PDB file of all heavy atoms in Angstrom:
ATOM      1  N   PHE L 248     -12.281   7.107  -7.857  1.00 97.00           N
ATOM      2  CA  PHE L 248     -11.599   7.944  -6.869  1.00 97.00           C
ATOM      3  C   PHE L 248     -12.584   8.895  -6.195  1.00 97.00           C
ATOM      4  O   PHE L 248     -12.611   9.018  -4.966  1.00 97.00           O
ATOM      5  CB  PHE L 248     -10.477   8.735  -7.545  1.00 97.00           C
ATOM      6  CG  PHE L 248      -9.687   9.602  -6.607  1.00 97.00           C
ATOM      7  CD1 PHE L 248      -8.562   9.106  -5.977  1.00 97.00           C
ATOM      8  CD2 PHE L 248     -10.079  10.910  -6.340  1.00 97.00           C
ATOM      9  CE1 PHE L 248      -7.827   9.893  -5.098  1.00 97.00           C
ATOM     10  CE2 PHE L 248      -9.356  11.708  -5.467  1.00 97.00           C
ATOM     11  CZ  PHE L 248      -8.227  11.197  -4.843  1.00 97.00           C
ATOM     12  N   THR L 249     -13.391   9.572  -6.992  1.00 96.00           N
ATOM     13  CA  THR L 249     -14.305  10.586  -6.457  1.00 96.00           C
ATOM     14  C   THR L 249     -15.350   9.979  -5.531  1.00 96.00           C
ATOM     15  O   THR L 249     -15.590  10.494  -4.429  1.00 96.00           O
ATOM     16  CB  THR L 249     -15.003  11.329  -7.610  1.00 96.00           C
ATOM     17  OG1 THR L 249     -14.015  11.904  -8.466  1.00 96.00           O
ATOM     18  CG2 THR L 249     -15.911  12.422  -7.082  1.00 96.00           C
ATOM     19  N   VAL L 250     -15.985   8.907  -5.968  1.00 96.00           N
ATOM     20  CA  VAL L 250     -17.028   8.274  -5.148  1.00 96.00           C
ATOM     21  C   VAL L 250     -16.453   7.797  -3.816  1.00 96.00           C
ATOM     22  O   VAL L 250     -17.038   8.024  -2.750  1.00 96.00           O
ATOM     23  CB  VAL L 250     -17.671   7.092  -5.915  1.00 96.00           C
ATOM     24  CG1 VAL L 250     -18.597   6.306  -4.984  1.00 96.00           C
ATOM     25  CG2 VAL L 250     -18.437   7.600  -7.122  1.00 96.00           C
ATOM     26  N   THR L 251     -15.301   7.140  -3.866  1.00 97.00           N
ATOM     27  CA  THR L 251     -14.681   6.635  -2.636  1.00 97.00           C
ATOM     28  C   THR L 251     -14.259   7.774  -1.719  1.00 97.00           C
ATOM     29  O   THR L 251     -14.445   7.703  -0.499  1.00 97.00           O
ATOM     30  CB  THR L 251     -13.454   5.765  -2.977  1.00 97.00           C
ATOM     31  OG1 THR L 251     -13.842   4.744  -3.888  1.00 97.00           O
ATOM     32  CG2 THR L 251     -12.868   5.141  -1.724  1.00 97.00           C
ATOM     33  N   ALA L 252     -13.683   8.841  -2.304  1.00 95.00           N
ATOM     34  CA  ALA L 252     -13.260   9.987  -1.499  1.00 95.00           C
ATOM     35  C   ALA L 252     -14.449  10.646  -0.803  1.00 95.00           C
ATOM     36  O   ALA L 252     -14.357  11.027   0.376  1.00 95.00           O
ATOM     37  CB  ALA L 252     -12.540  10.998  -2.390  1.00 95.00           C
ATOM     38  N   VAL L 253     -15.576  10.764  -1.504  1.00 95.00           N
ATOM     39  CA  VAL L 253     -16.772  11.364  -0.910  1.00 95.00           C
ATOM     40  C   VAL L 253     -17.292  10.500   0.234  1.00 95.00           C
ATOM     41  O   VAL L 253     -17.667  11.009   1.300  1.00 95.00           O
ATOM     42  CB  VAL L 253     -17.871  11.555  -1.984  1.00 95.00           C
ATOM     43  CG1 VAL L 253     -19.202  11.925  -1.335  1.00 95.00           C
ATOM     44  CG2 VAL L 253     -17.456  12.620  -2.979  1.00 95.00           C
ATOM     45  N   ILE L 254     -17.310   9.179   0.028  1.00 95.00           N
ATOM     46  CA  ILE L 254     -17.778   8.266   1.078  1.00 95.00           C
ATOM     47  C   ILE L 254     -16.881   8.356   2.314  1.00 95.00           C
ATOM     48  O   ILE L 254     -17.366   8.423   3.452  1.00 95.00           O
ATOM     49  CB  ILE L 254     -17.816   6.817   0.548  1.00 95.00           C
ATOM     50  CG1 ILE L 254     -18.911   6.674  -0.510  1.00 95.00           C
ATOM     51  CG2 ILE L 254     -18.060   5.830   1.695  1.00 95.00           C
ATOM     52  CD1 ILE L 254     -18.913   5.328  -1.198  1.00 95.00           C
ATOM     53  N   ILE L 255     -15.565   8.362   2.097  1.00 94.00           N
ATOM     54  CA  ILE L 255     -14.635   8.448   3.226  1.00 94.00           C
ATOM     55  C   ILE L 255     -14.793   9.772   3.959  1.00 94.00           C
ATOM     56  O   ILE L 255     -14.831   9.815   5.199  1.00 94.00           O
ATOM     57  CB  ILE L 255     -13.182   8.282   2.732  1.00 94.00           C
ATOM     58  CG1 ILE L 255     -12.953   6.862   2.226  1.00 94.00           C
ATOM     59  CG2 ILE L 255     -12.188   8.596   3.857  1.00 94.00           C
ATOM     60  CD1 ILE L 255     -11.588   6.658   1.589  1.00 94.00           C
ATOM     61  N   PHE L 256     -14.923  10.871   3.207  1.00 91.00           N
ATOM     62  CA  PHE L 256     -15.088  12.193   3.823  1.00 91.00           C
ATOM     63  C   PHE L 256     -16.388  12.252   4.624  1.00 91.00           C
ATOM     64  O   PHE L 256     -16.409  12.742   5.757  1.00 91.00           O
ATOM     65  CB  PHE L 256     -15.093  13.272   2.744  1.00 91.00           C
ATOM     66  CG  PHE L 256     -15.388  14.651   3.274  1.00 91.00           C
ATOM     67  CD1 PHE L 256     -14.403  15.403   3.899  1.00 91.00           C
ATOM     68  CD2 PHE L 256     -16.669  15.193   3.162  1.00 91.00           C
ATOM     69  CE1 PHE L 256     -14.677  16.669   4.402  1.00 91.00           C
ATOM     70  CE2 PHE L 256     -16.953  16.456   3.656  1.00 91.00           C
ATOM     71  CZ  PHE L 256     -15.960  17.193   4.281  1.00 91.00           C
ATOM     72  N   ALA L 257     -17.477  11.727   4.044  1.00 92.00           N
ATOM     73  CA  ALA L 257     -18.766  11.754   4.729  1.00 92.00           C
ATOM     74  C   ALA L 257     -18.729  10.914   6.003  1.00 92.00           C
ATOM     75  O   ALA L 257     -19.251  11.325   7.051  1.00 92.00           O
ATOM     76  CB  ALA L 257     -19.864  11.252   3.788  1.00 92.00           C
ATOM     77  N   ALA L 258     -18.117   9.740   5.918  1.00 90.00           N
ATOM     78  CA  ALA L 258     -18.033   8.866   7.090  1.00 90.00           C
ATOM     79  C   ALA L 258     -17.179   9.504   8.186  1.00 90.00           C
ATOM     80  O   ALA L 258     -17.548   9.469   9.372  1.00 90.00           O
ATOM     81  CB  ALA L 258     -17.446   7.516   6.686  1.00 90.00           C
ATOM     82  N   THR L 259     -16.055  10.090   7.782  1.00 86.00           N
ATOM     83  CA  THR L 259     -15.180  10.751   8.757  1.00 86.00           C
ATOM     84  C   THR L 259     -15.880  11.936   9.418  1.00 86.00           C
ATOM     85  O   THR L 259     -15.792  12.133  10.630  1.00 86.00           O
ATOM     86  CB  THR L 259     -13.888  11.235   8.065  1.00 86.00           C
ATOM     87  OG1 THR L 259     -13.256  10.138   7.409  1.00 86.00           O
ATOM     88  CG2 THR L 259     -12.924  11.834   9.077  1.00 86.00           C
ATOM     89  N   TYR L 260     -16.592  12.722   8.605  1.00 84.00           N
ATOM     90  CA  TYR L 260     -17.325  13.890   9.109  1.00 84.00           C
ATOM     91  C   TYR L 260     -18.398  13.455  10.108  1.00 84.00           C
ATOM     92  O   TYR L 260     -18.538  14.040  11.185  1.00 84.00           O
ATOM     93  CB  TYR L 260     -17.959  14.625   7.939  1.00 84.00           C
ATOM     94  CG  TYR L 260     -18.705  15.885   8.318  1.00 84.00           C
ATOM     95  CD1 TYR L 260     -18.032  17.096   8.456  1.00 84.00           C
ATOM     96  CD2 TYR L 260     -20.090  15.865   8.540  1.00 84.00           C
ATOM     97  CE1 TYR L 260     -18.714  18.246   8.807  1.00 84.00           C
ATOM     98  CE2 TYR L 260     -20.774  16.996   8.889  1.00 84.00           C
ATOM     99  CZ  TYR L 260     -20.087  18.187   9.023  1.00 84.00           C
ATOM    100  OH  TYR L 260     -20.761  19.323   9.370  1.00 84.00           O
ATOM    101  N   PHE L 261     -19.126  12.400   9.743  1.00 84.00           N
ATOM    102  CA  PHE L 261     -20.204  11.914  10.614  1.00 84.00           C
ATOM    103  C   PHE L 261     -19.644  11.387  11.930  1.00 84.00           C
ATOM    104  O   PHE L 261     -20.150  11.716  13.011  1.00 84.00           O
ATOM    105  CB  PHE L 261     -20.981  10.810   9.894  1.00 84.00           C
ATOM    106  CG  PHE L 261     -22.024  10.156  10.741  1.00 84.00           C
ATOM    107  CD1 PHE L 261     -23.245  10.781  10.980  1.00 84.00           C
ATOM    108  CD2 PHE L 261     -21.784   8.921  11.331  1.00 84.00           C
ATOM    109  CE1 PHE L 261     -24.211  10.184  11.778  1.00 84.00           C
ATOM    110  CE2 PHE L 261     -22.751   8.317  12.130  1.00 84.00           C
ATOM    111  CZ  PHE L 261     -23.961   8.948  12.354  1.00 84.00           C
ATOM    112  N   ILE L 262     -18.594  10.573  11.866  1.00 82.00           N
ATOM    113  CA  ILE L 262     -18.010   9.994  13.080  1.00 82.00           C
ATOM    114  C   ILE L 262     -17.429  11.080  13.968  1.00 82.00           C
ATOM    115  O   ILE L 262     -17.619  11.070  15.194  1.00 82.00           O
ATOM    116  CB  ILE L 262     -16.929   8.963  12.712  1.00 82.00           C
ATOM    117  CG1 ILE L 262     -17.562   7.747  12.021  1.00 82.00           C
ATOM    118  CG2 ILE L 262     -16.151   8.521  13.951  1.00 82.00           C
ATOM    119  CD1 ILE L 262     -16.557   6.779  11.436  1.00 82.00           C
ATOM    120  N   ALA L 263     -16.723  12.046  13.349  1.00 76.00           N
ATOM    121  CA  ALA L 263     -16.098  13.121  14.130  1.00 76.00           C
ATOM    122  C   ALA L 263     -17.151  13.951  14.857  1.00 76.00           C
ATOM    123  O   ALA L 263     -17.010  14.263  16.044  1.00 76.00           O
ATOM    124  CB  ALA L 263     -15.264  14.002  13.212  1.00 76.00           C
ATOM    125  N   HIS L 264     -18.227  14.310  14.138  1.00 74.00           N
ATOM    126  CA  HIS L 264     -19.252  15.142  14.752  1.00 74.00           C
ATOM    127  C   HIS L 264     -20.064  14.373  15.794  1.00 74.00           C
ATOM    128  O   HIS L 264     -20.438  14.933  16.832  1.00 74.00           O
ATOM    129  CB  HIS L 264     -20.178  15.715  13.681  1.00 74.00           C
ATOM    130  CG  HIS L 264     -19.632  16.942  13.032  1.00 74.00           C
ATOM    131  ND1 HIS L 264     -18.509  16.915  12.218  1.00 74.00           N
ATOM    132  CD2 HIS L 264     -20.018  18.241  13.089  1.00 74.00           C
ATOM    133  CE1 HIS L 264     -18.251  18.134  11.791  1.00 74.00           C
ATOM    134  NE2 HIS L 264     -19.154  18.959  12.301  1.00 74.00           N
ATOM    135  N   THR L 265     -20.333  13.098  15.539  1.00 78.00           N
ATOM    136  CA  THR L 265     -21.066  12.293  16.511  1.00 78.00           C
ATOM    137  C   THR L 265     -20.265  12.154  17.797  1.00 78.00           C
ATOM    138  O   THR L 265     -20.809  12.303  18.902  1.00 78.00           O
ATOM    139  CB  THR L 265     -21.354  10.899  15.929  1.00 78.00           C
ATOM    140  OG1 THR L 265     -22.098  11.034  14.721  1.00 78.00           O
ATOM    141  CG2 THR L 265     -22.147  10.067  16.914  1.00 78.00           C
ATOM    142  N   THR L 266     -18.974  11.897  17.660  1.00 72.00           N
ATOM    143  CA  THR L 266     -18.108  11.778  18.831  1.00 72.00           C
ATOM    144  C   THR L 266     -18.026  13.093  19.586  1.00 72.00           C
ATOM    145  O   THR L 266     -18.062  13.128  20.821  1.00 72.00           O
ATOM    146  CB  THR L 266     -16.695  11.334  18.402  1.00 72.00           C
ATOM    147  OG1 THR L 266     -16.784  10.127  17.651  1.00 72.00           O
ATOM    148  CG2 THR L 266     -15.807  11.112  19.615  1.00 72.00           C
ATOM    149  N   THR L 267     -17.923  14.197  18.835  1.00 64.00           N
ATOM    150  CA  THR L 267     -17.835  15.523  19.462  1.00 64.00           C
ATOM    151  C   THR L 267     -19.091  15.835  20.264  1.00 64.00           C
ATOM    152  O   THR L 267     -19.037  16.321  21.399  1.00 64.00           O
ATOM    153  CB  THR L 267     -17.626  16.610  18.394  1.00 64.00           C
ATOM    154  OG1 THR L 267     -16.433  16.321  17.658  1.00 64.00           O
ATOM    155  CG2 THR L 267     -17.497  17.984  19.049  1.00 64.00           C
ATOM    156  N   TYR L 268     -20.262  15.523  19.676  1.00 60.00           N
ATOM    157  CA  TYR L 268     -21.522  15.787  20.372  1.00 60.00           C
ATOM    158  C   TYR L 268     -21.653  14.947  21.629  1.00 60.00           C
ATOM    159  O   TYR L 268     -22.177  15.407  22.661  1.00 60.00           O
ATOM    160  CB  TYR L 268     -22.708  15.514  19.446  1.00 60.00           C
ATOM    161  CG  TYR L 268     -22.825  16.512  18.302  1.00 60.00           C
ATOM    162  CD1 TYR L 268     -23.273  16.110  17.063  1.00 60.00           C
ATOM    163  CD2 TYR L 268     -22.508  17.853  18.508  1.00 60.00           C
ATOM    164  CE1 TYR L 268     -23.390  17.023  16.017  1.00 60.00           C
ATOM    165  CE2 TYR L 268     -22.609  18.761  17.467  1.00 60.00           C
ATOM    166  CZ  TYR L 268     -23.044  18.356  16.234  1.00 60.00           C
ATOM    167  OH  TYR L 268     -23.141  19.254  15.211  1.00 60.00           O
TER     168      TYR L 268
END
Side-chain angles (χ1 to χ4, degrees):
F248 182 90
T249 303
V250 171
T251 306
V253 169
I254 292 173
I255 292 174
F256 175 79
T259 305
Y260 182 85
F261 175 78
I262 293 171
H264 277 68
T265 302
T266 305
T267 302
Y268 291 145

